[in-house]
Amino acid sequence: MSGLFALLTFLALSSSDAKPHAGLKTWGRFSKLPYPGDKAFLYDTFPSDFMWAVGTAAYQVEGAFEKDGKGLSIWDTFTRGGNRMATGDVGSDSYHNIHADIRAIRQLGVTHYRFSLSWSRIFPNGTRGSYNEIGTNYYRTLIKRLKEIRVQPVVTLYHWDLPEHLQQSLGGWSNPEMVEIFKDYSDFCFHAFGDDVKYWITIDNPFVVAQHGYGTGVVAPGIKNDPDLPFRVGHNLLKAHAAAWHLYNRHYRPRQQGKLSMALASHWIKPRRTRLESLRECQCSLDHVLGWFARPLFADGDYPPCMRERLGSRLPSFTQEEREQVRGTADFFALSHGATLSFQLINDSLKFGQLEDLDLRMLLYWVNAEYDKPPIFVVQSGWYVLGNTKTEDPKHMYYLKRFIAEALKSIIIDKVNVIGYTAWSLTDGFEWHREYGIRRGLYYVDFNTPDMKREPKTSATFYRNVIHKNGFPELPENRPAQGMFPCDFAWGVSANSIQVETTPTQFADPNVYLWNISNNGELIKLEGLSAPPLHRATHCADYATIRQQVSLQVGVNHFHFSLNWSALVPTGDVAYPNTTLLGYYRCFTRQLVQANVTPVVTLWHHTRQRSNLPTPLDTANGWLNSKTPKAFADYARLCYREMGAHVKMWITLNEPNDEMVSYQEGHQMLLAHALAWRAYDQEFRQMQRGQVSLALHMDWVEPAFSFSREDVEPAKRVLDFYVGWLAEPIFGSGDYPVGMRSWLRQLNSLELPVFNEERRQLVRGTYDFFAMSHFSTKLVTHAKEDSYTYTEMLEVQHMIDTTWIMSPRPVVPWGLRKALNWVRLGDFHYSDVPIYVMANGVQEDPARFKDSLRVYYLYNYINEALKAFTLDGVNLKGYFAYALNDQRDPGFGLYGQVHEEVIVKASLSNYRNIIQHNGFPIPGASPQQCPALPQPCPSCHVLIRRPVVGFLTLVGSGVLITLGLIIYYTTKRHKEYY
């Protein structure tokens, strides 16, 4: 850091008009981290002394609101006013269920338990004179039981439930007298419990207390209509905290050796635009919520300059003495994060036009930078589920996983001193202004049972496992594999379609030109003159687009593309094909073979936008037409006959197993495939020696709760309905999956057609390999949380793991390995079926030529394919990246294009490198010995690489008159990105 910058920083910190400082670098720093590598899940563990905690708040869980001498709190009064429907009178009745809570805490395996003291249970009217021994003994017992199971208490003195008497007699926190009253209450608690408590929270979330208790009126005591009152309340809260801290520091710390802080909650915010002004607004948003209390405690004892600038005289002032009294009164940074966002920023005004976000990692980094690297204890974190959710809470579990994973990255990658994490909360309870409409507990509470029965949710099981492992240790299956594929492995690229040229552009210019050899050498077209027409057949070399597309197949040995049935046989009658288009496809496959690229040709490619059936069939009920399967078989024969000499791999139907395809249509497609396969097998195989199959879309389906049998069955059901539906008749029994039939029968559905024995035998075994398209993975659970992701017919909810990289579908490399193993271990008659991954790719901004996401995607998915081959014994024969270029498959291309310039993206260079090494060879190992491949014909090489111009000239008056045909072998320029 330069001396000038250090001086400016010092002045910024000490000046009342200082600008945002250290935390401002957070957004820029994270925008420069490598993508998507930095977003990938980090497998690692937390420090050995990391504090794993779970927490509750007194009013939410204790109940017994009038029991054993307890006084009323502001929440007891608040919940009985206005339009509120429920109270926390009983909550989850922790007052009478210490044993159940202790059992739950012990089951989780936490090291710390955060709970709050009910001020009005200890001092019913708020002051020492009303001391209640029975209420105090409740907390003594709780702490004793915690010590017995070796769990350290983290005690909050005030979690929003002020004694009602103090609110009525003094106006609550709006009165400066509360500072001394709180100090005295704290003194009692330190004396009564301090020998067994090493972590204290004085006040929880003062922002909510001030802003929503005394500003918006959303929470108790529900005061509103004075816009300046929240700032006076916040002022008193800070001074009350400081008074308690100094009291502890002088009189209790020397003996008790504990630590104190104030729990500060915050959202995270990201800029709407990448401008400095937007970043400053983000900084100011955090200053108005978190910095309001954090800056006085952790920086200079005063409010953030941004607040002072915008609020002016509305914001109270600290005297110099008060600044010194407040400054430095926190032994660690107690940070709350998570579902408080659902009401913390009800008013968008505090976002200052920016975008609220849930990024705990960036928030931790900002706190670390803004407040000079304090130890950070996350004292509240988690999410919520709807109130009717019981023990299956997948959303809560995956948010918990996300937040814990972000805390781990913060420690390992960002070097932030995060010392503990608190999942919120232990049990379901009264959720403040949301009452019982949501649940946040790791333990489900049945509020309708007398003993408030507690049951662990799946989030509790997950959290227990994380604590037991101290994070997410790397397992062998998480590590990249090393090894190579066999020498005959098919490395390919797929495209939905190819560029078609119906009129040859080579040897096709009949014009006459003047060649000005004495001046600039330009060709000058003579208007009105033309050369006589050529009387010769069209050659494959006449098509410029073929040469251009074949020249892109650099590095791969296979290319997969689809024919257009409706264009090849427009009438549906193969006796009248489009001979020009047929010739083009024939030339294309021939040129691929000459370039040592094996063509893999799909006869019919399913798209949702159009049927791709010949118009007469399409208008006559499409696939439901009984004539369509036979028409397809005839079309297949035409293609086999015309292109079979060059095509040795055929796909009859590509991705017919779409959820928009009806069972009746799927049935017809199976018959069409079977007829086409048997036509090849009986009429063409002996001579052409090719292979035929169909390609199924097969994204992986993972149980949301991998440790729950109840979710394994729904995952299997989804695979049966979406993959087994068309796979089982062909690769297995000749009929639809048993599970699929029985499920539909259970629903009284007769939609699934029935195979008679003849058709069963027709369909069964009509394959030479198993081809799949795989792009992503999704989770399924039987637990219903969100209706918009719930499939009623299958009784499953679809969801994602919030730690997955998204673009826009989840990037989950291990899903490919599981899908490959599903085929290997499936209920097919031949478990060793050859498998091809016929399409695998990710969508990314076409303008991003350094397509780092696709580089990451291809590397990791291919590596998982290698694991399936080398470790699992999957008979994997080939891998095809999707897609060739953005021009035909926007957003998926290995090639980009700007006008006439072809761009070689970084992903293609990386893919070529993997192909050249035939996988991921072990460093230092002997190179793989593979037979050399034949080289393309020399004449093809000349035609591909060099422009050739042919001239017939007549000399006259110093000017050459050029007649004839110019062969435009113009090569597109290539630019490569690495």
Side-chain angles (χ1 to χ4, degrees):
M1 180 187 293
S2 68
L4 176 59
F5 185 78
L7 175 60
L8 291 173
T9 302
F10 172 78
L11 291 174
L13 289 171
S14 59
S15 171
S16 61
D17 60 349
K19 295 180 180 180
H21 48 285
L24 190 60
K25 67 183 181 183
T26 303
W27 294 273
R29 187 257 185 186
F30 278 86
S31 69
K32 295 174 184 175
L33 291 177
Y35 177 81
D38 183 65
K39 295 293 184 184
F41 193 82
L42 174 64
Y43 291 98
D44 211 325
T45 55
F46 287 84
S48 58
D49 59 349
F50 192 76
M51 296 185 289
W52 292 104
V54 67
T56 57
Y59 185 76
Q60 293 185 282
V61 300
E62 280 185 7
F65 85 110
E66 287 184 317
K67 188 76 178 287
D68 295 335
K70 178 187 173 294
L72 294 178
S73 75
I74 54 175
W75 275 94
D76 293 320
T77 305
F78 181 72
T79 54
R80 285 166 169 75
N83 297 320
R84 283 166 285 281
M85 305 294 293
T87 71
D89 291 357
V90 179
S92 51
D93 202 21
S94 286
Y95 187 80
H96 297 109
N97 277 287
I98 286 182
H99 62 286
D101 287 348
I102 291 294
R103 182 171 62 247
I105 293 166
R106 185 175 62 243
Q107 287 175 349
L108 288 175
V110 294
T111 60
H112 292 70
Y113 174 52
R114 181 188 170 198
F115 65 93
S116 72
L117 306 175
S118 171
W119 191 341
S120 59
R121 193 177 298 283
I122 296 172
F123 294 167
N125 72 3
T127 59
R128 195 182 289 258
S130 62
Y131 170 64
N132 177 18
E133 180 73 18
I134 299 177
T136 304
N137 286 338
Y138 164 72
Y139 296 112
R140 288 195 177 106
T141 302
L142 175 58
I143 292 171
K144 179 184 176 183
R145 296 287 175 82
L146 289 171
K147 300 292 277 188
E148 288 172 356
I149 62 171
R150 297 184 178 180
V151 171
Q152 294 292 323
V154 179
V155 179
T156 302
L157 295 172
Y158 178 71
H159 200 128
W160 308 1
D161 51 349
L162 187 71
E164 174 65 16
H165 178 75
L166 296 179
Q167 182 64 40
Q168 292 298 328
S169 61
L170 298 175
W173 286 108
S174 65
N175 193 323
E177 292 181 29
M178 282 296 301
V179 174
E180 285 301 316
I181 294 173
F182 181 74
K183 178 182 175 183
D184 188 57
Y185 162 61
S186 302
D187 184 38
F188 173 82
C189 295
F190 296 151
H191 182 270
F193 313 118
D195 289 343
D196 295 313
V197 177
K198 301 305 176 187
Y199 283 91
W200 291 95
I201 303 295
T202 55
I203 297 167
D204 181 85
N205 204 338
F207 174 86
V208 168
V209 175
Q211 181 70 20
H212 295 305
Y214 293 83
T216 64
V218 172
V219 301
I223 295 173
K224 48 190 172 182
N225 300 325
D226 183 350
D228 297 342
L229 182 59
F231 305 115
R232 299 197 297 273
V233 167
H235 205 64
N236 291 333
L237 290 168
L238 276 167
K239 290 198 284 187
H241 157 80
W245 187 91
H246 284 289
L247 171 72
Y248 187 86
N249 194 51
R250 284 193 298 268
H251 298 292
Y252 295 98
R253 192 191 302 275
R255 180 168 58 85
Q256 296 179 357
Q257 296 294 303
K259 296 181 179 180
L260 269 75
S261 192
M262 178 187 252
L264 307 181
S266 184
H267 62 310
W268 180 246
I269 194 126
K270 60 184 180 182
R272 190 176 293 275
R273 298 180 181 85
T274 55
R275 298 175 180 172
L276 182 58
E277 293 80 3
S278 294
L279 294 179
R280 286 174 175 160
E281 291 300 287
C282 287
Q283 180 85 4
C284 200
S285 176
L286 292 173
D287 276 343
H288 274 73
V289 179
L290 183 58
W292 180 3
F293 300 94
R295 180 154 178 148
L297 299 180
F298 291 92
D300 58 3
D302 200 1
Y303 297 116
C306 173
M307 287 188 76
R308 286 237 171 264
E309 291 168 3
R310 301 197 182 196
L311 296 171
S313 60
R314 296 176 59 195
L315 196 62
S317 297
F318 290 108
T319 66
Q320 187 59 40
E321 182 181 354
E322 287 172 336
R323 284 192 187 187
E324 294 303 320
Q325 179 77 2
V326 170
R327 182 185 181 200
T329 57
D331 302 317
F332 58 95
F333 200 110
L335 180 66
S336 294
H337 173 266
T340 46
L341 292 178
S342 62
F343 64 87
Q344 199 171 55
L345 295 179
I346 291 172
N347 190 328
D348 282 349
S349 65
L350 288 181
K351 298 178 189 177
F352 299 127
Q354 309 311 307
L355 304 172
E356 193 174 351
D357 198 20
L358 274 175
D359 201 313
L360 175 59
R361 180 184 171 191
M362 290 185 73
L363 178 60
L364 289 167
Y365 188 88
W366 186 87
V367 170
N368 182 71
E370 187 79 2
Y371 302 115
D372 196 23
K373 303 178 181 179
I376 304 173
F377 189 175
V378 179
V379 294
Q380 182 177 158
S381 178
W383 203 241
Y384 63 90
V385 295
L386 300 179
N388 58 357
T389 303
K390 295 189 176 179
T391 56
E392 292 90 6
D393 57 342
K395 183 185 288 186
H396 187 188
M397 183 184 79
Y398 281 105
Y399 270 109
L400 201 60
K401 179 183 178 183
R402 170 182 171 174
F403 297 145
I404 295 171
E406 288 180 355
L408 181 61
K409 281 187 177 180
S410 186
I411 295 169
I412 303 297
I413 299 174
D414 306 331
K415 308 304 179 186
V416 176
N417 186 17
V418 184
I419 61 173
Y421 179 89
T422 307
W424 200 270
S425 63
L426 176 65
T427 63
D428 293 332
F430 179 82
E431 290 298 333
W432 308 114
H433 77 293
R434 310 243 343 228
E435 300 177 348
Y436 296 100
I438 62 172
R439 291 175 179 263
R440 297 186 64 192
L442 297 175
Y443 280 75
Y444 169 76
V445 176
D446 188 341
F447 298 116
N448 296 317
T449 56
D451 60 347
M452 296 286 173
K453 182 180 177 182
R454 287 138 164 79
E455 292 183 68
K457 300 180 186 179
T458 43
S459 56
T461 304
F462 166 79
Y463 193 44
R464 182 178 68 233
N465 291 339
V466 171
I467 294 171
H468 178 71
K469 296 175 182 177
N470 200 33
F472 310 99
E474 186 179 51
L475 301 174
E477 59 263 32
N478 305 137
R479 301 182 189 124
Q482 292 183 321
M484 289 180 285
F485 293 95
C487 290
D488 62 349
F489 194 73
W491 290 105
V493 64
S494 287
N496 283 344
S497 61
I498 58 173
Q499 184 177 352
V500 173
E501 182 183 8
T502 55
T503 303
T505 55
Q506 309 295 344
F507 300 97
D509 188 352
N511 293 298
V512 178
Y513 298 84
L514 286 178
W515 187 2
N516 189 351
I517 60 173
S518 62
N519 192 1
N520 56 11
E522 288 186 353
L523 294 175
I524 304 170
K525 180 179 177 181
L526 296 180
E527 299 296 337
L529 295 178
S530 63
L534 280 176
H535 297 287
R536 69 173 181 84
T538 300
H539 296 288
C540 291
D542 296 352
Y543 295 102
T545 56
I546 291 181
R547 182 195 57 76
Q548 292 162 2
Q549 292 179 92
V550 171
S551 70
L552 297 180
Q553 310 298 321
V554 179
V556 298
N557 51 42
H558 286 65
F559 178 55
H560 173 217
F561 67 96
S562 300
L563 306 179
N564 188 331
W565 181 11
S566 62
L568 266 175
V569 189
T571 65
D573 185 348
V574 294
Y576 305 98
N578 182 332
T579 54
T580 302
L581 182 58
L582 192 59
Y584 183 89
Y585 283 134
R586 189 167 50 238
C587 283
F588 190 86
T589 56
R590 176 185 173 187
Q591 294 298 100
L592 283 172
V593 172
Q594 288 182 340
N596 283 341
V597 177
T598 300
V600 181
V601 177
T602 288
L603 297 174
W604 180 79
H605 184 96
H606 171 71
T607 61
R608 293 186 177 183
Q609 290 76 22
R610 55 188 182 276
S611 72
N612 286 330
L613 299 179
T615 301
L617 290 174
D618 189 33
T619 56
N621 227 9
W623 280 106
L624 295 177
N625 187 329
S626 61
K627 297 179 180 179
T628 301
K630 182 181 181 301
F632 180 77
D634 290 340
Y635 159 62
R637 286 186 179 90
L638 171 69
C639 296
Y640 299 153
R641 185 170 56 251
E642 296 294 330
M643 288 173 267
H646 305 298
V647 179
K648 305 306 177 186
M649 285 188 72
W650 293 94
I651 302 293
T652 55
L653 310 172
N654 192 73
E655 301 182 6
N657 56 323
D658 186 276
E659 60 185 12
M660 303 302 292
V661 173
S662 70
Y663 296 140
Q664 290 78 14
E665 287 174 316
H667 198 73
Q668 291 286 91
M669 290 176 185
L670 282 170
L671 297 178
H673 158 78
L675 290 172
W677 189 91
R678 298 211 177 269
Y680 189 86
D681 191 54
Q682 296 165 10
E683 303 169 32
F684 298 92
R685 188 186 301 275
Q686 186 174 2
M687 180 182 297
Q688 297 181 359
R689 300 190 180 280
Q691 294 182 314
V692 183
S693 196
L694 83 171
L696 299 176
H697 184 103
M698 190 182 176
D699 282 351
W700 181 242
V701 179
E702 180 76 1
F705 306 121
S706 58
F707 43 79
S708 168
R709 286 187 177 182
E710 291 179 306
D711 274 359
V712 172
E713 182 58 36
K716 184 180 183 302
R717 187 185 312 138
V718 172
L719 287 169
D720 273 349
F721 270 80
Y722 289 122
V723 184
W725 167 35
L726 299 186
E728 179 64 19
I730 295 171
F731 297 89
S733 64
D735 196 3
Y736 297 112
V738 173
M740 185 179 183
R741 279 210 182 276
S742 62
W743 184 263
L744 290 172
R745 195 177 301 119
Q746 175 185 317
L747 298 177
N748 296 317
S749 171
L750 301 176
E751 293 182 9
L752 197 61
V754 176
F755 289 102
N756 60 31
E757 187 58 31
E758 180 185 354
R759 288 190 168 181
R760 182 189 296 243
Q761 294 304 322
L762 172 70
V763 172
R764 184 180 181 188
T766 54
Y767 69 91
D768 296 308
F769 53 87
F770 190 105
M772 69 163 71
S773 301
H774 176 89
F775 298 93
S776 186
T777 291
K778 57 188 173 185
L779 300 173
V780 295
T781 175
H782 72 287
K784 184 176 181 179
E785 275 197 78
D786 297 315
S787 58
Y788 65 91
T789 61
Y790 191 78
T791 303
E792 201 73 45
M793 193 267 283
L794 294 180
E795 296 183 9
V796 295
Q797 176 168 305
H798 299 271
M799 58 181 299
I800 63 166
D801 182 335
T802 54
T803 64
W804 287 345
I805 298 169
M806 298 293 295
S807 181
R809 288 183 286 193
V811 175
V812 191
W814 52 258
L816 174 58
R817 182 181 179 185
K818 292 203 172 189
L820 290 169
N821 273 282
W822 184 87
V823 176
R824 181 178 74 91
L825 301 172
D827 298 327
F828 308 140
H829 282 197
Y830 304 102
S831 60
D832 198 38
V833 58
I835 305 174
Y836 290 85
V837 177
M838 201 55 70
N840 179 238
V842 67
Q843 189 172 1
E844 191 169 6
D845 183 357
R848 190 189 291 269
F849 300 135
K850 291 185 178 180
D851 51 344
S852 54
L853 176 61
R854 189 170 292 106
V855 170
Y856 173 90
Y857 182 98
L858 292 178
Y859 179 94
N860 285 281
Y861 273 81
I862 295 171
N863 197 267
E864 292 295 325
L866 179 66
K867 292 177 187 177
F869 174 74
T870 59
L871 301 178
D872 307 332
V874 173
N875 188 13
L876 184 62
K877 293 294 187 180
Y879 172 91
F880 290 68
Y882 177 81
L884 180 63
N885 59 50
D886 287 328
Q887 189 177 21
R888 310 301 297 179
D889 302 286
F892 285 90
L894 297 169
Y895 285 97
Q897 188 160 340
V898 178
H899 304 301
E900 291 300 309
E901 184 175 11
V902 175
I903 308 296
V904 177
K905 295 184 184 180
S907 57
L908 178 56
S909 301
N910 281 268
Y911 185 38
R912 286 174 180 166
N913 185 56
I914 293 172
I915 295 173
Q916 288 167 5
H917 291 89
N918 207 25
F920 309 89
I922 301 170
S926 300
Q928 189 178 30
Q929 300 299 320
C930 292
L933 294 173
Q935 294 299 312
C937 66
S939 60
C940 298
H941 179 78
V942 170
L943 291 178
I944 287 172
R945 296 301 179 92
R946 298 180 184 278
V948 178
V949 183
F951 297 100
L952 175 64
T953 62
L954 298 174
V955 181
S957 304
V959 176
L960 292 178
I961 301 177
T962 304
L963 300 175
L965 306 172
I966 301 175
I967 312 169
Y968 287 108
Y969 280 112
T970 54
T971 304
K972 287 188 176 181
R973 292 179 297 153
H974 287 64
K975 181 180 288 185
E976 299 205 17
Y977 283 78
Y978 299 94

